[in-house]
Amino acid sequence: MFTYQVEPRFSETDALGHINNTVVPVWFEQGRTPIFQLFNPDLSLNKWNLILKKMDVDFVAQIYLYSPVEIRTSLSAVGNTSMTIHQEVWQKEKLVAQGDCVMVHFDYEQQSKAPIPEQVKEALLQHLA
């Protein structure tokens, strides 16, 4: 599992005073950075080889300003060309949001999905939940 801490910012709140629902997918994308680095160690945009196919987010409870959150990222499935990533947001030891996304290993030159390299697949499987 990969984790990182976020300190919610005032600009991420909405008119109701809690963290806006558009913020969690942004936090999730940042939480996927270690996975991106397995495919593209220097995160070069010229060598980018992943695309987001699908994403869903379940908002379990309100997320508040002035209290750090932890983003937890793991894999729930690894296939030949794609993977399913599970992510959670925890605040004050409580699950407040969770979601899953499917990312596809992609060859931009051929404009098609591509097999996940074996050494990357082995590294991904170490984070299978």
Side-chain angles (χ1 to χ4, degrees):
M1 176 186 311
F2 302 102
T3 63
Y4 89 98
Q5 294 273 327
V6 176
E7 185 67 43
R9 297 175 293 224
F10 179 78
S11 64
E12 295 172 324
T13 60
D14 61 19
L16 298 174
H18 58 258
I19 300 303
N20 189 279
N21 61 4
T22 63
V23 173
V24 172
V26 174
W27 289 348
F28 281 171
E29 182 179 50
Q30 185 66 36
R32 293 192 296 271
T33 299
I35 294 171
F36 299 158
Q37 287 176 305
L38 293 174
F39 286 86
N40 183 354
D42 60 357
L43 300 175
S44 168
L45 295 180
N46 294 328
K47 299 177 193 171
W48 204 259
N49 52 12
L50 291 170
I51 57 172
L52 181 66
K53 181 180 179 186
K54 174 184 164 181
M55 177 176 56
D56 65 66
V57 179
D58 179 24
F59 298 95
V60 178
Q62 293 181 67
I63 305 169
Y64 297 99
L65 185 63
Y66 306 124
S67 181
V69 298
E70 181 178 71
I71 310 302
R72 300 177 184 175
T73 302
S74 61
L75 285 110
S76 55
V78 179
N80 291 326
T81 61
S82 66
M83 63 194 142
T84 303
I85 301 168
H86 178 74
Q87 295 182 279
E88 299 176 346
V89 180
W90 289 78
Q91 188 175 54
K92 295 184 178 181
E93 300 182 29
K94 179 180 178 184
L95 177 67
V96 292
Q98 63 184 345
D100 294 287
C101 74
V102 175
M103 296 207 73
V104 176
H105 186 233
F106 195 75
D107 181 333
Y108 278 90
E109 279 187 25
Q110 300 297 316
Q111 287 294 300
S112 65
K113 60 186 176 181
I116 297 172
E118 278 306 311
Q119 90 179 51
V120 173
K121 189 180 280 191
E122 288 174 17
L124 292 170
L125 291 172
Q126 294 177 18
H127 300 281
L128 200 57

